[in-house]
Amino acid sequence: MRPLLLALAGILTITATLAACSSDDADSLSLEDAVGQMLLIGFRGEILDDEVEALLKEIAPGAVILFDYDGPSGGEQVRNVVSPEQLQALTASLQETSELPLLIAIDAEGGFVNRLKEQYGFEVQLPSHLTLGAGTPSQTASLAGASAQQLSDLGINWNLAPVVDVNVFPESPAIGYWERSFSDDPALVAEHAAAFARAHHEQGVVSTLKHFPGHGSAVGDTHLGVTDVTDSFIREAELAPYRTLIEDGYDDVVMTAHVVNRHLDPSARPATLSRPIVTDLLRGELGFGGVILSDDMQMGAILEEYSLETAAIEAIKAGVDVILIANQNTYDIDHVRRIKAAIIAAVEQGEISRQRIDESVARILALKRKYGLID
């Protein structure tokens, strides 16, 4: 009986959220512009040059992501962060160029995952999640608030943090090793993540819980290849932070992981492409009504098994709202064009319904409205 009640509660949450989003907003967009809103893209350049401006006008993405280091070139190519003054000018130029206001994202977790380094002139340096987790939630709120204010002052309105992975395996090559988890105690993870997210909300910055349904037990790294957590995943513990935060009203963004978990989806699809994990579990059982973001679709865990086009289509069919193409594992702007064209073709051919697209766009526009980006 309880699973049925949870499922019904999830459906009611989703229905209410979509009603509040005003689907008329999504309906008013062309298919091309609607799909554009579902893309979060990375690009090279510390200024908005003609090439990048033309790309943004062509793709019309709903969001962009900024980095300080260009992975594909090993740092030889300039990315997006040089100094506070340069970054502030870049974000202003991005917003001026976009027809609809952009969500401008960055990874500002703290510690090792920090794009706004002291060497570039940024004053606020947030400790790692592990360090924050050793303190009190009020200390986390204070430090995260200072970081969020710095982001807001720079024109960045979306932080791809906090990490709510439970530190099941402290040597996990993508999480524990880099001190990206608050704690091995799910309750502490939830408390610190709530403080972190609340501090960002107060500064007008969107937060992101990641990596759903849980990456903390992984012995592999999804950046590099297929990572199976079937035998290491602790269901109640690793879902607990999401359950607690969502029950307390969290409705910004959740990022999916590319991990395989056959207990949650016997088909062994990565979570990002799994309807049982994204829609049935996150939307249904846990009742999440906000925006669902994929992890980077150019990561090894996806590209080892799927084409970019297939992965993007399957992610949307699974229930993902925003597709991340960071251009950090490989740099190819044509990947963005290919993914957008594939999604449009899938709608035109009936593989994805226009209603499914509009559901995602309604959630994205509702998030932008919530944070004052659109009226």
Side-chain angles (χ1 to χ4, degrees), residues 232-296:
S232 58
F233 183 75
I234 306 173
R235 190 184 198 279
E236 290 308 310
E238 297 195 56
L239 292 181
Y242 294 99
R243 194 183 302 277
T244 298
L245 289 159
I246 292 166
E247 286 179 354
D248 287 345
Y250 180 86
D251 62 355
D252 274 9
V253 182
V254 169
M255 176 190 279
T256 62
H258 297 327
V259 294
V260 169
N261 188 324
R262 283 168 285 148
H263 289 317
L264 301 180
D265 184 349
S267 74
R269 285 187 163 215
T272 301
L273 314 187
S274 168
R275 188 171 179 83
I277 293 174
V278 176
T279 293
D280 298 345
L281 178 56
L282 180 53
R283 289 259 186 243
E285 180 181 331
L286 300 184
F288 181 62
V291 170
I292 298 177
L293 166 70
S294 79
D295 207 340
D296 183 12

Side-chain angles (χ1 to χ4, degrees), residues 183-233:
S183 175
D184 59 1
D185 181 341
L188 280 178
V189 172
E191 288 176 16
H192 284 276
F196 192 106
R198 188 164 52 249
H200 279 68
H201 182 81
E202 290 170 357
Q203 296 298 330
V205 178
V206 178
S207 59
T208 308
L209 310 184
K210 61 185 186 185
H211 308 79
F212 188 83
H215 207 305
S217 70
V219 297
D221 185 345
T222 50
H223 292 86
L224 304 177
V226 174
T227 300
D228 193 326
V229 299
T230 302
D231 296 329
S232 58
F233 183 75

Side-chain angles (χ1 to χ4, degrees), residues 6-226:
L6 286 169
L8 288 172
I11 292 167
L12 289 172
T13 299
I14 295 165
T15 303
T17 301
L18 290 177
C21 290
S22 176
S23 61
D24 290 345
D25 293 339
D27 292 341
S28 68
L29 296 177
S30 68
L31 176 59
E32 290 78 8
D33 286 342
V35 172
Q37 286 296 300
M38 297 174 68
L39 301 179
L40 168 57
I41 69 171
F43 61 92
R44 282 177 178 152
E46 79 277 20
I47 62 170
L48 190 61
D49 58 22
D50 292 343
E51 183 179 358
V52 175
E53 185 172 349
L55 173 73
L56 294 177
K57 288 183 182 296
E58 175 192 352
I59 300 299
V64 296
I65 182 168
L66 307 179
F67 293 93
D68 65 318
Y69 178 85
D70 185 68
S73 69
E76 291 184 11
Q77 296 284 335
V78 176
R79 200 62 186 214
N80 313 120
V81 178
V82 175
S83 71
E85 296 76 20
Q86 164 271 327
L87 184 54
Q88 194 171 46
L90 174 60
T91 60
S93 297
L94 287 165
Q95 293 292 16
E96 288 168 10
T97 299
S98 182
E99 254 184 67
L100 279 175
L102 288 164
L103 286 163
I104 299 178
I106 202 163
D107 290 291
E109 297 173 15
F112 294 103
V113 183
N114 170 30
R115 316 305 181 197
L116 308 180
K117 297 179 175 62
E118 189 174 13
Q119 68 198 62
Y120 307 139
F122 296 98
E123 294 182 358
V124 180
Q125 298 297 305
L126 190 63
S128 72
H129 276 26
L130 189 64
T131 300
L132 291 173
T136 66
S138 62
Q139 290 171 329
T140 292
S142 177
L143 292 167
S147 179
Q149 182 177 353
Q150 177 173 254
L151 294 177
S152 181
D153 290 345
L154 292 165
I156 296 169
N157 51 32
W158 188 4
N159 189 1
L160 303 189
V163 176
V164 294
D165 294 318
V166 179
N167 206 21
V168 174
F169 176 44
E171 295 304 313
S172 177
I175 306 298
Y177 179 82
W178 298 105
E179 300 185 1
R180 298 175 72 195
S181 172
F182 288 114
S183 175
D184 59 1
D185 181 341
L188 280 178
V189 172
E191 288 176 16
H192 284 276
F196 192 106
R198 188 164 52 249
H200 279 68
H201 182 81
E202 290 170 357
Q203 296 298 330
V205 178
V206 178
S207 59
T208 308
L209 310 184
K210 61 185 186 185
H211 308 79
F212 188 83
H215 207 305
S217 70
V219 297
D221 185 345
T222 50
H223 292 86
L224 304 177
V226 174

